[in-house]
Amino acid sequence: MIYKNFVKRVIDFLLSLSAIIILSPIWIILIVLGSIAMKGNPFFLQQRPGYKEKTFNLIKFRTMSNAKDSNGNLLSNEVRLNKYGRILRSTSLDELPELFNILLGNMSIVGPRPLLPEYIPYYTEEEHHRHDVRPGLTGLAQVNGRNAISSWEERFAYDLEYVNNCSFLLDIQIIIKTALKVVKRSDILVGSTVVVGRLDDIRNNNNK
């Protein structure tokens, strides 16, 4: 409990601050390239539920442009996801700004990935416990299939397993496995390919 409630946060703060400083040259390059590729703001902000389901602004590098049709409507995701965005996603570089979320205490290095706020009403009573810890940059589900996991139930099972077994050793194991997956670019789906689908759509259909 000491690690989960105190030590983990100290480690998150120190490691995220160090990473932000060390990676500052990459930050500058990606901000410039992103501004050009996206023709404007290179950052993407979106509300996500965090610890105890309190929402925060998740920050990432944008991977889709704001290209619109003649009527002013956004084009499809496949069209707006340009080559630059695909590279960011395949290398996980789009996730780098989340280091600031970790520094501020909205997130942790390891924990259940933050999902959309509109999914919360569709959780089971047990699934709400995935928010008993801060959401993570990576997590147990990500090193056991990442985006290729075929069901929400499987993802949530990994999230709850992490919440119930959170420890320094487990975090180290997840970080090492994540680094290997990023280097190998394994279990990463880029573009409009969706294996699981939206949680609200799936559970609404199941209740019909």
Side-chain angles (χ1 to χ4, degrees):
M1 290 296 290
I2 294 178
Y3 172 74
K4 185 176 180 180
N5 295 331
F6 177 71
V7 177
K8 182 176 171 67
R9 173 61 192 141
V10 174
I11 293 175
D12 283 338
F13 179 84
L14 294 176
L15 290 183
S16 60
L17 179 60
S18 299
I20 289 170
I21 294 172
I22 293 171
L23 298 174
S24 56
I26 296 178
W27 282 98
I28 295 172
I29 293 172
L30 291 179
I31 289 173
V32 173
L33 291 178
S35 298
I36 296 172
M38 299 300 165
K39 298 179 180 180
N41 183 7
F43 296 104
F44 171 78
L45 274 73
Q46 189 176 53
Q47 286 262 299
R48 297 291 176 91
Y51 181 61
K52 299 301 182 183
E53 297 181 0
K54 181 180 179 181
T55 57
F56 68 95
N57 283 317
L58 178 79
I59 180 170
K60 301 173 69 172
F61 279 122
R62 283 176 56 197
T63 57
M64 292 194 291
S65 70
N66 287 323
K68 300 178 180 178
D69 60 23
S70 57
N71 295 318
N73 299 314
L74 286 173
L75 296 176
S76 65
N77 289 351
E78 305 93 77
V79 175
R80 292 190 295 123
L81 180 64
N82 54 30
K83 185 176 181 180
Y84 174 76
R86 289 178 180 274
I87 292 173
L88 285 186
R89 289 192 184 185
S90 67
T91 57
S92 296
L93 287 172
D94 60 318
E95 309 280 358
L96 274 184
E98 290 172 47
L99 288 170
F100 284 99
N101 287 126
I102 297 172
L103 185 70
L104 293 172
N106 304 133
M107 292 178 60
S108 178
I109 294 173
V110 180
R113 282 296 294 165
L115 301 175
L116 297 173
E118 52 262 41
Y119 288 175
I120 291 179
Y122 297 92
Y123 290 168
T124 65
E125 183 177 350
E126 185 180 16
E127 288 166 357
H128 280 285
H129 288 293
R130 71 189 302 276
H131 293 286
D132 288 351
V133 297
R134 289 182 177 85
L137 183 63
T138 185
L140 195 59
Q142 283 61 51
V143 298
N144 284 282
R146 206 170 183 179
N147 293 340
I149 291 178
S150 60
S151 74
W152 282 107
E153 286 72 22
E154 187 179 358
R155 287 190 180 192
F156 288 148
Y158 280 124
D159 291 343
L160 294 173
E161 181 182 345
Y162 176 78
V163 171
N164 294 327
N165 298 282
C166 178
S167 68
F168 176 72
L169 181 59
L170 180 58
D171 280 1
I172 293 298
Q173 291 173 342
I174 291 173
I175 290 171
I176 292 174
K177 289 180 179 179
T178 299
L180 292 175
K181 282 184 175 289
V182 170
V183 170
K184 295 178 180 178
R185 299 191 187 185
S186 61
D187 299 326
I188 299 174
L189 299 177
V190 179
S192 60
T193 306
V194 177
V195 172
V196 180
R198 289 181 59 95
L199 178 67
D200 45 0
D201 289 340
I202 291 172
R203 293 196 168 170
N204 270 329
N205 289 333
N206 290 341
N207 290 330
K208 288 182 179 179

